[in-house]
Amino acid sequence: MTDLNPQGKQMADESMVRNLAAQAQAIWPQEAPLLRRYALPAEPRILDAGCGTGEVTSRLAELFPQSHALGVDIIDAHLELARSRYARFAPRLRFEHQSIFALDAPDRSFDLTVCRHVLQSIPHADRVVAELARVTRRGGYLHLIAEDYGMLHFQRGALDPREFWHIAPTTFAAATGTDLFIGRNIFGILASIGLEQIAIDYVVVDTLRVPRETFATIFKAWRDGYAEVIGEVTPISRESALAYFEQMIANILDPRGYAVWMVPVVSARVPSGPAAEG
């Protein structure tokens, strides 16, 4: 796989802006307490790798008010939006065009390295995780959201969403060289490079914990951004993909319906050593 951004078109689509906003609204209230657990210095250096529109980079800057945060991405339109939205945090919050495969940072630069909603969208996730670990100081932390498309559950209707989530992620991943089940594979990647204190928690995005409209907005954005490419690279046609998405959205919005997305939140610590920093 030579294309390091096989979902580039989808990531740059306007639907992704909506998606990132809704995902942050849905996930952050349960995620923030997990971030507070880390033993960080008083003025931590934070990297948000694959920051998108800065939705969570800005929340990190608020959560750690003495921090110095850097958000990096390769989609310039997203970076420009982030800079305009969160200028109030400058200069301690910056956004730069960088590839997460080759970060422009010395070894051991950050106390906390965050990478959310990215690893499932790229090939060679193990290379990226190794790069994230490289720029994290000894005793510092990686904080990852590693999506897994076997962890979405809906009620059956005229269509069975289990069929969609069984077929679409497997064939889409094969066509793009990505791992859409990275949530269950990330532990092995972290362990293989010697990280410690590996933990996997779950944010439960469901129709009880998250406003239905917020939850539905995520799936409306996925519908708008991905139905076409699903029709191109999987056995599921665009029309069928739209039908599945519409049924899942209706399930979420039904006052008597229940749906759930289990979101793996993964953390690991870079081992301290003789030259430990901080």
Side-chain angles (χ1 to χ4, degrees):
M1 174 57 65
T2 58
D3 184 357
L4 299 182
N5 190 25
Q7 297 185 38
K9 179 181 177 181
Q10 291 75 39
M11 291 295 173
D13 190 78
E14 64 81 24
S15 62
M16 187 56 62
V17 176
R18 291 183 275 129
N19 193 14
L20 293 172
Q23 286 180 335
Q25 292 166 16
I27 293 170
W28 183 255
Q30 297 176 58
E31 185 182 5
L34 301 177
L35 285 153
R36 291 192 186 100
R37 299 179 304 178
Y38 303 136
L40 299 178
E43 297 183 5
R45 296 160 294 173
I46 299 174
L47 173 67
D48 186 6
C51 66
T53 57
E55 289 281 353
V56 166
T57 329
S58 65
R59 286 170 166 82
L60 289 165
E62 289 180 325
L63 187 67
F64 301 105
Q66 302 304 314
S67 65
H68 298 272
L70 171 65
V72 303
D73 207 285
I74 60 170
I75 300 176
D76 289 319
H78 288 348
L79 291 169
E80 286 300 319
L81 185 58
R83 293 185 187 107
S84 65
R85 282 180 172 177
Y86 307 116
R88 67 186 183 278
F89 291 111
R92 68 180 186 89
L93 173 59
R94 298 178 293 116
F95 296 96
E96 295 182 1
H97 183 118
Q98 292 189 32
S99 167
I100 59 176
F101 284 90
L103 293 163
D104 183 16
D107 295 356
R108 315 303 177 204
S109 294
F110 299 97
D111 302 293
L112 174 64
T113 299
V114 176
C115 185
R116 305 170 72 265
H117 305 295
V118 176
L119 296 176
Q120 83 288 342
S121 71
I122 56 172
H124 313 302
D126 55 334
R127 286 169 44 185
V128 168
V129 172
E131 180 69 351
L132 300 178
R134 178 187 70 79
V135 301
T136 306
R137 72 170 176 87
R138 299 187 187 279
Y141 299 87
L142 270 63
H143 176 95
L144 316 172
I145 285 186
E147 295 183 23
D148 189 313
Y149 292 96
M151 298 184 183
L152 297 113
H153 305 285
F154 296 83
Q155 293 175 281
R156 293 182 65 180
L159 300 172
D160 186 348
R162 292 179 302 177
E163 297 172 354
F164 178 85
W165 293 113
H166 177 69
I167 297 170
T170 302
T171 53
F172 190 96
T176 57
T178 57
D179 182 0
L180 272 64
F181 303 95
I182 190 72
R184 69 194 68 183
N185 296 321
I186 188 64
F187 176 87
I189 294 173
L190 296 169
S192 70
I193 60 174
L195 300 190
E196 62 185 22
Q197 297 181 18
I198 302 170
I200 301 180
D201 296 277
Y202 289 87
V203 166
V204 181
V205 177
D206 71 354
T207 48
L208 296 175
R209 294 167 177 82
V210 174
R212 290 180 184 271
E213 188 55 49
T214 300
F215 193 3
T217 296
I218 296 170
F219 282 82
K220 291 176 182 178
W222 278 346
R223 174 199 64 195
D224 297 345
Y226 281 90
E228 181 177 350
V229 69
I230 287 170
E232 293 171 353
V233 303
T234 82
I236 299 173
S237 69
R238 175 182 178 275
E239 292 71 23
S240 292
L242 288 170
Y244 277 114
F245 276 119
E246 292 298 342
Q247 181 172 292
M248 289 184 278
I249 292 165
N251 181 186
I252 293 169
L253 294 175
D254 180 353
R256 296 189 178 184
Y258 180 79
V260 58
W261 177 25
M262 306 293 292
V263 183
V265 181
V266 185
S267 60
R269 184 174 180 269
V270 177
S272 300
E277 303 168 13

